[in-house]
């Protein structure tokens, strides 16, 4: 391609809301344009990279027996009503009516449509397993679209769905996709980790996310410093309990006045005590019933763990009115002592690790000291409902400690079980002629987010440093003086030879100053720049610059194509750890 003819423009100024490097660089290098909040035009440079990522995905999935399909973006509400998600999915779902008044939505994901598609073809166990995928535009009406393609409202996703006869083969399909994802992201040239993940509204009981490690990542990951345990903070397990407490150290209950002191910070400074000595007592509403939740004052409740522990459909903090009605006091003074047996009480494991707690006294302006588990309160459940934190013991090995990293979720695999197949009657006749619901898995990759994450991990102050496998163009040829015939001829010959050698090559044939061309080349991030200046060409040479290392070498014009081609081919298969 000739840059002089290319539809692109690099920009100096960056939009105010572009706060992370990938968003700024994609905008400055003319890869994307914003059409509306979270909705983008993909310009040629971006689309070339996206197509390469898609090609890698297709190769890895096709080679594992997956088949590509294409489902519509617009989905009828009736399917979502069948799965029960029309009411549960919330505001992320963009809903609208057609001219006849029928309800539709823009697909944020395709479990419903694929389950319907499969149930129409599925009759016998002999047909399975099936693994179907598509690469398609999704729409999610995100609360805060941001960071460019990282969190858009319309975005490109690869979604795949597996259908199996039983749990054992469904788990095989799951691990095969896990392996495919590992291959895909290493071929894309990004550094990533697979981590245990929560399943959220999609359901199922086994899931992992593929996280690209980057300081701007929105996700927090905890990993063990001595074994391979790694989990999203949403899922990371806290294990250790305090064993049996020493009851002889229990002190007598003592009610203290704490006028106007409600938060743990206020009460702890008022009483001169550490936050870790408080029993945080929170009232939640789980499927319209109040639940008292207890946790050590220096820990936070992980609501997705709590929701799973309670098996609740809808979980939220109780309103002040419900707290008053249930506990007889306002939220700042709630505690576990003397709570009515009607109220379900859940305590986090951290509650077993201390004695002589301070808690609210269920009376305005009062707290109680020396509150103790079993003697003063008896939770209905003692279970892990806390967020794990850096420094916690590893739940998998003995002796390891958890460390914190930031990550960008580029993909996720879920074992779904038969949630959708049961709700939507997607079943087959087994060997005994009995009807069985299919065992399902679903698997997503954010294609645009993967490209953005690669830039987030591979850039410097001058611009993008593309990993070769997903670079829009692998090489740029830079003739510096267009009025020097020898330069132009050498550049055109080399450009043509690269093209013949199958290398994706751009020639910057614009009549611009050398400095201007270098700046753009660094910004766009071509892995290799072949520079043809008057003096070196006269000496029969070209200068080759490698974007990542910044290394430059002068070599004979005749050698350039072979040296650069070999360098590129060695890196096309990716392989960052
Ligand atoms: P997140 O937690 O970031 O909102 P998610 O877990 O809801 O994402 P999934 O349903 O697992 O997303 O979707 C599969 C993949 O699609 C994600 O791993 C991510 O790479 C991508 N993705 C999800 N939401 C967006 C978005 N708003 N913009 C771009 N990519 C997205
Ligand atoms: Mg996800």
């Amino acid at each position: 391609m000739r840059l002089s003819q290319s539809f692109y423009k690099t920009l100096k100024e960056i939009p105010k809301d572009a706060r992370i490097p990938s968003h700024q660089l994609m905008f400055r290098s003319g890869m994307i344009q914003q059409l509306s909040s979270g909705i983008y035009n993909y310009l040629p440079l971006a689309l070339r990279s996206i197509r390469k990522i898609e090609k890698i995905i297709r190769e890895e999935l096709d080679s594992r027996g997956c088949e590509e399909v294409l489902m519509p973006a617009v989905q009828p509400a009736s399917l979502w009503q069948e799965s029960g998600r029309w009411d549960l999915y919330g505001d992320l779902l963009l809903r609208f009516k057609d001219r006849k008044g029928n309800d539709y939505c823009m697909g944020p994901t395709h479990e419903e449509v694929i389950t319907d598609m499969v149930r129409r073809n599925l009759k016998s166990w002999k047909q399975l397993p099936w693994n179907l995928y598509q690469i398609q535009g999704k729409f999610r009406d995100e609360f805060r679209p941001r960071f460019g393609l990282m969190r858009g409202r319309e975005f490109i996703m690869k979604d795949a769905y597996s259908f199996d006869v039983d749990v054992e083969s469904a788990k095989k399909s799951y691990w095969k996709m896990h392996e495919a994802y590992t291959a895909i992201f290493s071929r894309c040239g990004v550094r990533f980790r697979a981590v245990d993940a929560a399943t959220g509204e999609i359901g199922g009981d086994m899931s992992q996310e593929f996280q690209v490690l980057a300081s701007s990542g929105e996700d927090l990951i905890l990993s063990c410093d001595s074994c391979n345990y790694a989990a999203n903070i949403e899922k990371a397990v806290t294990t250790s309990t305090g064993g049996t407490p020493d009851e002889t150290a229990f002190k007598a209950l003592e009610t203290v006045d704490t006028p106007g002191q409600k938060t743990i910070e206020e009460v702890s400074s008022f009483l001169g005590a550490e936050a870790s000595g408080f029993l945080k007592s929170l009232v939640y509403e789980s499927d319209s019933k109040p639940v008292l939740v207890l946790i050590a004052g220096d820990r936070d409740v992980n609501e997705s763990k709590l929701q799973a522990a309670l098996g609740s459909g809808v979980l939220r903090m109780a309103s002040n009115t419900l707290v008053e009605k249930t506990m007889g006091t306002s939220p700042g003074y709630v505690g576990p002592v003397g709570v009515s047996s009607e109220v379900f009480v859940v305590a986090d494991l951290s509650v077993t690790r201390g004695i002589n707690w301070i808690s609210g006294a269920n009376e305005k302006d009062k707290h109680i000291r020396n509150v103790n588990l079993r003697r003063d309160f008896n939770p209905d459940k003692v279970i892990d409902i806390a967020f794990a934190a850096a420094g916690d013991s590893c739940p998998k090995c003995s002796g390891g400690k958890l460390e914190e990293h930031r990550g960008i979720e580029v993909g996720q695999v879920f074992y779904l079980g038969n949630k959708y197949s049961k709700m939507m009657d997607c079943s087959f006749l087994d060997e005994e002629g009995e009807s069985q619901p299919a065992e399902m898995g679903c698997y997503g990759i954010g294609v645009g987010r993967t490209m953005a994450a690669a830039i987030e991990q591979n850039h410097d102050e001058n611009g993008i440093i593309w990993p070769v496998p997903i670079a829009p163009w692998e090489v740029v040829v830079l003739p510096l003086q267009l009025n020097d015939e020898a330069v132009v001829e050498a550049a055109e010959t080399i450009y043509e030879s690269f093209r013949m050698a199958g290398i994706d090559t751009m020639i910057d044939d614009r009549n611009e100053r050398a400095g201007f061309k270098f700046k753009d080349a660094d910004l766009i991030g071509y892995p290799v720049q072949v520079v043809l200046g008057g003096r070196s060409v006269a000496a029969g040479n070209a200068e080759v610059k490698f974007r990542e290392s910044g290394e430059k070498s002068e070599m004979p014009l005749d050698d350039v194509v072979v040296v650069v081609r070999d360098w590129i081919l060695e890196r096309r298969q990716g392989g960052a750890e």
Side-chain angles (χ1 to χ4, degrees):
M1 183 71 204
R2 295 179 178 278
L3 205 50
S4 62
Q5 288 163 21
S6 172
F7 177 73
Y8 101 103
K9 185 174 169 211
T10 51
L11 299 162
K12 290 217 172 51
E13 67 290 359
I14 41 177
K16 279 197 299 299
D17 67 332
R19 282 195 299 272
I20 61 169
S22 60
H23 187 189
Q24 294 172 351
L25 289 169
M26 268 194 236
F27 187 84
R28 280 182 52 206
S29 61
M31 290 172 64
I32 53 168
Q33 274 179 346
Q34 183 172 315
L35 181 63
S36 177
S37 169
I39 301 180
Y40 291 89
N41 289 325
Y42 300 88
L43 306 192
L45 282 175
L47 196 61
R48 286 189 65 90
S49 176
I50 283 176
R51 291 286 182 254
K52 289 190 177 183
I53 297 171
E54 292 174 348
K55 181 164 181 280
I56 292 171
I57 293 174
R58 287 192 169 97
E59 285 172 5
E60 293 300 329
L61 295 186
D62 292 350
S63 73
R64 287 175 175 81
C66 308
E67 274 185 298
E68 187 168 358
V69 294
L70 184 59
M71 292 176 271
V74 173
Q75 308 185 1
S78 53
L79 288 180
W80 286 72
Q81 282 150 355
E82 257 190 80
S83 74
R85 286 208 293 182
W86 186 250
D87 295 326
L88 289 179
Y89 210 84
D91 292 337
L92 274 184
L93 195 61
L94 181 66
R95 300 156 207 251
F96 56 94
K97 287 187 193 293
D98 69 3
R99 64 171 76 204
K100 293 183 182 144
N102 298 319
D103 285 312
Y104 285 87
C105 65
M106 292 296 291
T109 176
H110 280 68
E111 283 77 21
E112 282 77 3
V113 177
I114 194 104
T115 307
D116 173 65
M117 187 170 114
V118 166
R119 71 181 167 186
R120 299 199 223 173
N121 277 16
L122 180 59
K123 297 253 163 341
S124 152
W125 63 276
K126 289 184 195 149
Q127 294 168 285
L128 298 179
W130 279 330
N131 191 323
L132 301 164
Y133 75 96
Q134 65 173 348
I135 298 179
Q136 189 256 7
K138 296 279 183 278
F139 195 97
R140 295 184 182 177
D141 201 356
E142 296 277 356
F143 174 59
R144 279 181 71 197
R146 58 195 169 137
F147 304 149
L149 299 189
M150 257 336 156
R151 186 169 296 284
R153 291 200 295 164
E154 185 177 323
F155 57 95
I156 303 170
M157 196 203 283
K158 185 290 297 173
D159 45 330
Y161 305 86
S162 61
F163 295 81
D164 279 275
V165 289
D166 57 23
V167 176
E168 198 191 330
S169 47
K171 293 208 164 155
K172 264 195 208 136
S173 298
Y174 177 92
W175 288 109
K176 191 160 73 176
M177 290 303 273
H178 193 282
E179 175 199 290
Y181 275 37
T182 305
I184 289 166
F185 294 117
S186 41
R187 280 189 59 190
C188 286
V190 291
R191 293 177 298 283
F192 66 96
R193 269 197 94 143
V195 308
D196 293 348
T199 51
E201 52 60 45
I202 207 159
D205 62 2
M206 180 163 74
S207 179
Q208 284 179 307
E209 288 166 349
F210 287 75
Q211 295 272 356
V212 165
L213 306 174
S215 57
S216 65
E218 287 188 281
D219 285 18
L220 205 55
I221 302 162
L222 292 166
S223 66
C224 177
D225 62 6
S226 63
C227 76
N228 64 358
Y229 179 78
N232 189 310
I233 185 132
E234 292 287 322
K235 178 79 178 181
V237 175
T238 70
T239 48
S240 54
T241 58
T244 317
D246 175 9
E247 293 191 13
T248 59
F250 285 6
K251 295 186 190 159
L253 286 178
E254 179 193 341
T255 306
V256 287
D257 288 325
T258 49
Q261 316 294 316
K262 290 186 179 173
T263 63
I264 290 197
E265 293 74 52
E266 286 166 357
V267 188
S268 60
S269 79
F270 186 79
L271 296 178
E274 294 287 327
S276 56
F278 279 78
L279 207 51
K280 212 191 282 184
S281 310
L282 305 160
V283 184
Y284 279 85
E285 188 182 341
S286 162
D287 295 333
S288 316
K289 289 198 196 72
V291 176
L292 177 65
V293 175
L294 307 171
I295 187 166
D298 57 351
R299 290 274 162 173
D300 289 312
V301 174
N302 178 336
E303 293 183 359
S304 69
K305 284 186 184 176
L306 179 61
Q307 185 162 14
L310 294 169
S312 40
V314 182
L315 178 79
R316 55 175 163 244
M317 289 297 288
S319 64
N320 284 0
T321 323
L322 183 63
V323 176
E324 287 276 357
K325 195 172 140 218
T326 315
M327 310 297 299
T329 188
S330 59
Y333 303 101
V334 169
V337 182
V339 173
S340 142
S341 58
E342 310 274 282
V343 180
F344 195 79
V345 181
V346 182
D348 177 54
L349 295 179
S350 57
V351 170
T352 66
R353 292 201 283 268
I355 57 168
N356 299 326
W357 297 97
I358 302 172
S359 78
N362 292 328
E363 198 180 332
K364 189 167 171 3
D365 296 338
K366 290 198 192 307
H367 280 76
I368 309 189
R369 283 185 192 274
N370 307 327
V371 174
N372 283 297
L373 179 65
R374 307 288 169 224
R375 184 189 73 180
D376 306 316
F377 65 101
N378 260 309
D380 297 282
K381 235 180 190 179
V382 180
I383 190 169
D384 168 29
I385 49 167
F387 278 111
D392 282 2
S393 308
C394 173
K396 190 169 168 189
C397 71
S398 61
K401 289 262 176 281
L402 298 183
E403 292 175 335
E404 235 177 56
H405 312 272
R406 291 242 150 231
I408 300 165
E409 179 201 323
V410 286
Q412 187 164 10
V413 290
F414 296 88
Y415 168 62
L416 289 173
N418 54 25
K419 173 177 159 173
Y420 293 90
S421 49
K422 262 191 172 158
M423 293 289 270
M424 297 182 63
D425 192 21
C426 174
S427 46
F428 60 90
L429 294 180
D430 67 14
E431 276 178 271
E432 273 78 49
E434 305 263 325
S435 176
Q436 302 287 353
E439 286 290 323
M440 291 173 58
C442 73
Y443 316 91
I445 291 181
V447 177
R449 193 185 278 184
T450 300
M451 175 172 72
I455 297 176
E456 209 54 44
Q457 230 178 28
N458 300 284
H459 69 270
D460 63 13
E461 64 285 1
N462 299 320
I464 302 170
I465 306 172
W466 283 107
V468 171
I470 61 169
W473 299 99
E474 294 164 322
V475 174
V476 63
V477 177
L478 294 163
L480 298 185
Q481 299 88 9
L482 293 188
N483 54 2
D484 182 331
E485 261 177 46
V487 166
V488 173
E489 200 196 310
E492 291 293 339
T493 309
I494 285 180
Y495 171 59
E496 213 35 55
S497 313
F498 273 129
R499 280 164 34 97
M500 299 309 285
I503 303 297
D504 294 332
T505 310
M506 177 69 93
I507 181 166
D508 188 350
D509 56 347
R510 298 171 304 169
N511 198 3
E512 297 285 358
R513 283 177 298 107
F516 187 85
K517 289 186 177 186
F518 288 142
K519 271 215 162 73
D520 272 5
D522 279 351
L523 176 60
I524 293 170
Y526 310 93
V528 184
Q529 301 172 10
V530 175
V531 183
L532 297 151
R535 230 173 305 146
S536 24
V537 170
N541 286 339
E543 189 185 66
V544 175
K545 178 180 157 190
F546 297 93
R547 178 68 178 87
E548 185 177 1
S549 61
E551 191 190 311
K552 291 178 187 166
S553 59
E554 183 103 359
M555 61 183 78
L557 289 170
D558 289 344
D559 295 350
V560 170
V561 174
V562 171
V563 171
V564 172
R565 183 200 63 193
D566 289 352
W567 188 91
I568 295 280
L569 293 183
E570 233 172 74
R571 284 158 183 81
R572 262 200 195 153
Q573 288 306 308
E577 93 282 7

